[in-house]
Amino acid sequence: MTRHPQRTEIRLENVLAALGNPMRMTVVSILADGGEHTCGSLLQGVSKSTLTHHWRVLRDSGVIWQRPSGRENLLSLRREDLNARFPGLVEALLAAAEQDALTRATLADFHP
């Protein structure tokens, strides 16, 4: 069983550490559309064990919801919880990633 921290348990330092990785930031930029996505549809050219690690880091830090659906897991961004804890943080990070050419190029390496 996966553990998702309660809203009040989400810590800023854990969120920032989780999003300091370009693969995980790519996932957040994709999940920012508000939908649920299957684990295998988010990053290209990444092994299953590496994906599992990244999902755990994002889930344990409170950035994503992960729920089983048949043989897949569905992921979604915990935008409401993150906005409640750290107003404007998600939007600021997404805007900064989009505006910075170096970051944008790095994230494009992992985007399907």
Side-chain angles (χ1 to χ4, degrees), residues 7-47:
R7 177 184 286 184
T8 57
E9 297 173 325
I10 299 173
R11 297 175 55 134
L12 180 60
E13 61 271 25
N14 294 343
V15 171
L16 293 175
L19 298 181
N21 178 284
M23 283 189 201
R24 294 191 289 263
M25 191 63 204
T26 300
V27 169
V28 169
S29 69
I30 295 167
L31 294 178
D33 70 6
E36 287 186 310
H37 296 263
T38 61
C39 290
S41 70
L42 293 170
L43 297 173
Q44 62 184 9
V46 181
S47 72

Side-chain angles (χ1 to χ4, degrees), residues 18-93:
L19 298 181
N21 178 284
M23 283 189 201
R24 294 191 289 263
M25 191 63 204
T26 300
V27 169
V28 169
S29 69
I30 295 167
L31 294 178
D33 70 6
E36 287 186 310
H37 296 263
T38 61
C39 290
S41 70
L42 293 170
L43 297 173
Q44 62 184 9
V46 181
S47 72
K48 187 174 180 178
S49 62
T50 299
L51 291 174
T52 299
H53 165 73
H54 289 300
W55 307 152
R56 182 184 52 76
V57 171
L58 288 167
R59 183 190 65 240
D60 291 353
S61 66
V63 173
I64 65 168
W65 290 114
Q66 182 178 5
R67 72 175 185 89
S69 177
R71 296 182 61 169
E72 291 272 2
N73 279 314
L74 297 176
L75 305 177
S76 59
L77 182 63
R78 291 182 67 175
R79 187 185 292 262
E80 184 178 318
D81 289 336
L82 291 168
N83 284 337
R85 291 284 290 142
F86 316 109
L89 178 66
V90 172
E91 289 73 20
L93 291 171

